[in-house]
Amino acid sequence: MALAAGRAMLMRSGVRLGTQAAARGGNGARRFMNHRVVVEPNTVPGVAVIKFKNPPVNSLTLEFLTEFVICLEKLENDKTFRGVVLTSDCPGIFSAGLDLREMCGKNPAHYAEYWRAVQEMWLKVYLSNLVLVAAINGTSPAGGCLIALSCDYRVLADNPRYRMGLNETLLGLVVPFWFKDTLVNTIGHRASERALQLGLLFPPAEALQLGMVDQVVPEDQVQSTALSVMTQWLAIPDHVRQLTKNMIRKATADHLIKHQEADIQNFINFISRDSIQKSLQVYLENLKQKKH
Ligand SMILES: CC/C=C\C/C=C\CCCC/C=C/C(=O)SCCNC(=O)CCNC(=O)[C@H](O)C(C)(C)COP(=O)(O)OP(=O)(O)OC[C@H]1O[C@@H](n2cnc3c(N)ncnc32)[C@H](O)[C@@H]1OP(=O)(O)O
């Protein structure tokens, strides 16, 4: 169902599924390539590595979200895969979060389509039957952080330039309740109150101390650590682990599922305000200015 919706979304946004290619890597493994998401089976049996490849900053465009959901769905339906490592192909950036241009200067129909894609991506990641380990090899604000928080385990590169957190208030935005729930479930209520209101982005040592990530390791060991953690998680039989995961996460996901249409309407109303549009434009302008 989600796959069909995703395909329709890809068609609407002009992305041709026929451009997906399959090739054999050096180790003979099959390697699926989309435009923006690359899926590589790994040396660890049953484990795939998804690399975000939406340069320059892996922002979560509609096309990216659609490809990502389709990739995850394919892996879930392929019984040879039990776990996935999520990482980035863009140096120094895991994901810059939601694509600001998708939320700027568009019409309500576009905002509705975009927000549904964000919701669907989160539900897919948060409730995945697969073991998901985030190998966070770069900065991950807002929506990028949400993806990592929705995985089962997080390994972050020990680079003081990398920051992680939900910084929405710094953009003049209110964090959606399910972003908030995901953070609260990870770092607790009090730490979330402070982090969310101040829009804090944490360097690795602080993210570890807060419990926002599970491990901080040297940059060149992020993926290998994620793969060895995966081995530990895969030692548990899938059905008991999946039932346990579902038991813990279901209430949080159901909260959004129950209010999905209202959440879309809230998003449209909020993002369409002149004041919010101005804030986003100024924020984008500031990103440009900092280069000069
Ligand atoms: C009542 C409430 C109801 C509902 C809620 C309603 C609405 C609110 C919900 C919204 C939730 C939002 C979640 C988000 O994820 S918002 C996005 C947050 N992201 C950020 O703040 C990151 C911004 N980017 C950066 O800080 C830097 O770009 C970054 C990632 C540190 C990388 O820095 P650097 O390597 O120096 O690269 P540049 O800054 O030069 O960027 C290169 C290029 O990319 C463009 N860009 C960066 N980030 C984004 C983005 N998120 N979306 C789109 N484009 C982005 C940047 O502008 C540059 O473009 P250019 O054309 O100038 O090359």
Side-chain angles (χ1 to χ4, degrees):
M1 178 63 194
L3 192 59
R7 281 173 188 278
M9 207 193 303
L10 269 180
M11 293 306 183
R12 277 200 300 281
S13 49
V15 176
R16 288 183 299 119
L17 287 171
T19 54
Q20 185 186 66
R24 293 211 174 261
N27 60 2
R30 213 166 145 76
R31 191 168 185 270
F32 300 102
M33 286 172 60
N34 289 289
H35 285 99
R36 302 163 185 87
V37 179
V38 178
V39 186
E40 298 173 341
N42 200 267
T43 43
V44 177
V47 179
V49 176
I50 289 185
K51 287 194 172 159
F52 301 153
K53 195 173 185 178
N54 197 22
V57 291
N58 282 335
S59 63
L60 306 178
T61 55
L62 184 58
E63 288 83 0
F64 175 90
L65 291 168
T66 308
E67 285 189 21
F68 181 33
V69 167
I70 288 176
C71 279
L72 271 180
E73 201 150 311
K74 278 185 177 165
L75 292 169
E76 278 183 346
N77 291 337
D78 180 341
K79 294 305 164 210
T80 53
F81 292 107
R82 299 176 59 215
V84 172
V85 171
L86 298 182
T87 195
S88 165
D89 197 60
C90 295
I93 295 158
F94 181 70
S95 164
L98 303 194
D99 190 282
L100 297 165
R101 292 182 176 91
E102 300 279 12
M103 303 190 286
C104 233
K106 302 283 196 302
N107 62 36
H110 179 84
Y111 295 142
E113 183 179 23
Y114 182 62
W115 199 245
R116 191 180 298 282
V118 178
Q119 292 175 332
E120 294 296 340
M121 180 279 293
W122 177 72
L123 289 169
K124 175 60 62 191
V125 175
Y126 196 68
L127 292 177
S128 179
N129 274 337
L130 298 160
V131 176
L132 298 183
V133 177
I136 311 162
N137 52 348
T139 280
S140 52
C145 177
L146 179 77
I147 292 179
L149 292 174
S150 305
C151 291
D152 298 295
Y153 195 92
R154 285 160 286 285
V155 181
L156 174 60
D158 191 8
N159 184 328
R161 284 184 294 116
Y162 297 167
R163 293 282 186 280
M164 190 173 168
L166 298 180
N167 63 329
E168 279 79 352
T169 55
L170 299 186
L171 285 78
L173 300 175
V174 178
V175 77
F177 69 85
W178 40 285
F179 283 47
K180 176 266 297 174
D181 290 342
T182 310
L183 185 68
V184 170
N185 292 350
T186 311
I187 66 169
H189 199 274
R190 172 59 196 142
S192 298
E193 272 192 347
R194 180 171 162 268
L196 288 177
Q197 291 186 59
L198 298 177
L200 298 177
L201 289 169
F202 299 99
E206 284 179 49
L208 181 64
Q209 199 185 13
L210 275 175
M212 188 173 266
V213 297
D214 299 293
Q215 254 183 287
V216 170
V217 301
E219 190 143 16
D220 60 351
Q221 291 168 28
V222 174
Q223 194 167 315
S224 58
T225 305
L227 288 165
S228 61
V229 165
M230 182 66 83
T231 308
Q232 200 187 342
W233 281 66
L234 293 183
I236 306 297
D238 283 340
H239 65 290
V240 287
R241 189 195 53 74
Q242 287 163 354
L243 286 170
T244 307
K245 177 171 178 175
N246 194 264
M247 176 175 64
I248 293 172
R249 294 192 168 198
K250 188 173 184 310
T252 301
D254 279 351
H255 190 192
L256 173 61
I257 292 167
K258 194 169 165 207
H259 299 286
Q260 199 161 355
E261 299 309 317
D263 186 60
I264 291 172
Q265 200 51 56
N266 277 344
F267 175 74
I268 297 170
N269 295 343
F270 183 80
I271 215 72
S272 304
R273 289 185 200 167
D274 285 348
S275 58
I276 300 299
Q277 286 293 308
K278 281 211 181 83
S279 299
L280 291 177
Q281 278 155 10
V282 168
Y283 192 80
L284 269 166
E285 201 46 48
N286 286 344
L287 284 177
K288 271 197 203 307
Q289 295 298 326
K290 86 175 160 57
K291 287 185 189 163
H292 304 294

